[in-house]
Amino acid sequence: AQSVTQLGSHVSVSEGALVLLRCNYSSSVPPYLFWYVQYPNQGLQLLLKYTSAATLVKGINGFEAEFKKSETSFHLTKPSAHMSDAAEYFCAVTEGDDMRFGAGTRLTVKP
Amino acid sequence: DAGITQSPRYKITETGRQVTLMCHQTWSHSYMFWYRQDLGHGLRLIYYSAAADITDKGEVPDGYVVSRSKTENFPLTLESATRSQTSVYFCASSVERGAADTQYFGPGTRLTVL
């Protein structure tokens, strides 16, 4: 069975600073990996997904994530945080039919 | 409007009452899902449906009932609400299930059971 662990339930960065949100997965086979973002009082929106085509995946709003098989990681990064990036971010993995979500990381951006 | 909608957005009810949460999608996606979101747990799958009249249990189905008589609608019913069912409920849809297929989420229903 697969699972996903997000390290850090809360991350705070200053505007313009690097954003790094960590996600590790466990899977017996190469997984499909996703990052979703949830803005306040809204549903989840897909940021990006890894489907084995390329290890570095670029998503919307300047986010990207790199799949590292040796580290079983799929960390989300953005070079320069914007106030509008404040939200909750969920890493998810599918192996077979089920999508499993991490507990989420709340990103705060300070002016 | 196109997309996936949920109603009501907010609901307060009492223990023991029946509550139905509605979900409607306009994409004609085959698959629909119900999740609950609780602090520290992320999203957990309650039920899903592969097509009209085909439903199956997810990770946390106890206390919930679903139906899908039409492709576009997937209501979730709490037959006798309990306080532990206080949560935010999300409906989602997708073309396929699993693998690389993206799920599209509704705005959620915040349910409080007193």
Side-chain angles (χ1 to χ4, degrees):
Chain A
Q2 78 283 4
S3 68
V4 57
T5 302
Q6 292 183 239
L7 300 176
S9 58
H10 289 88
V11 170
S12 181
V13 300
S14 297
E15 192 173 18
L18 171 72
V19 175
L20 171 61
L21 305 182
R22 300 177 186 273
C23 173
N24 288 88
Y25 69 92
S26 63
S27 174
S28 58
V29 298
Y32 295 102
L33 294 156
F34 302 74
W35 275 101
Y36 281 87
V37 60
Q38 183 183 26
Y39 297 105
N41 297 315
Q42 295 185 28
L44 280 69
Q45 303 173 33
L46 181 69
L47 266 180
L48 50 82
K49 63 181 177 182
Y50 167 74
T51 60
S52 76
T55 58
L56 182 63
V57 183
K58 294 188 183 298
I60 61 172
N61 301 336
F63 284 93
E64 63 182 35
E66 186 173 8
F67 172 68
K68 292 187 176 180
K69 183 179 178 180
S70 61
E71 299 177 6
T72 61
S73 69
F74 190 57
H75 300 333
L76 182 71
T77 60
K78 182 175 180 178
S80 177
H82 192 273
M83 297 297 290
S84 61
D85 295 326
E88 186 140 19
Y89 293 79
F90 292 92
C91 183
V93 59
T94 60
E95 181 188 293
D97 293 335
D98 288 334
M99 180 174 282
R100 300 281 187 177
F101 290 84
T105 298
R106 182 168 298 277
L107 176 66
T108 301
V109 182
K110 298 175 292 185
Chain B
D1 291 340
I4 185 164
T5 57
Q6 294 183 236
S7 61
R9 292 293 314 276
Y10 302 90
K11 177 73 176 178
I12 299 174
T13 191
E14 295 178 337
T15 301
R17 290 192 180 266
Q18 183 179 83
V19 177
T20 296
L21 310 183
M22 304 301 294
C23 178
H24 175 79
Q25 55 109 350
T26 60
W27 291 308
S28 299
H29 285 169
S30 295
Y31 283 86
M32 296 187 75
F33 308 83
W34 274 107
Y35 292 90
R36 59 178 290 173
Q37 182 184 29
D38 303 292
L39 195 63
H41 289 280
L43 276 73
R44 292 180 291 175
L45 182 65
I46 304 170
Y47 270 95
Y48 69 95
S49 169
D53 298 321
I54 301 175
T55 62
D56 207 348
K57 296 177 179 179
E59 182 183 356
V60 289
D62 293 344
Y64 303 95
V65 174
V66 294
S67 62
R68 195 169 176 203
S69 58
K70 294 183 178 181
T71 301
E72 61 267 30
N73 296 325
F74 191 38
L76 175 74
T77 297
L78 289 65
E79 292 191 307
S80 179
T82 65
R83 289 186 178 179
S84 65
Q85 293 177 309
T86 292
S87 186
V88 181
Y89 291 85
F90 287 100
C91 180
S93 70
S94 66
V95 175
E96 297 290 340
R97 178 175 175 233
D101 209 64
T102 300
Q103 293 186 18
Y104 298 88
F105 286 80
T109 295
R110 184 175 294 275
L111 176 67
T112 301
V113 183
L114 301 177

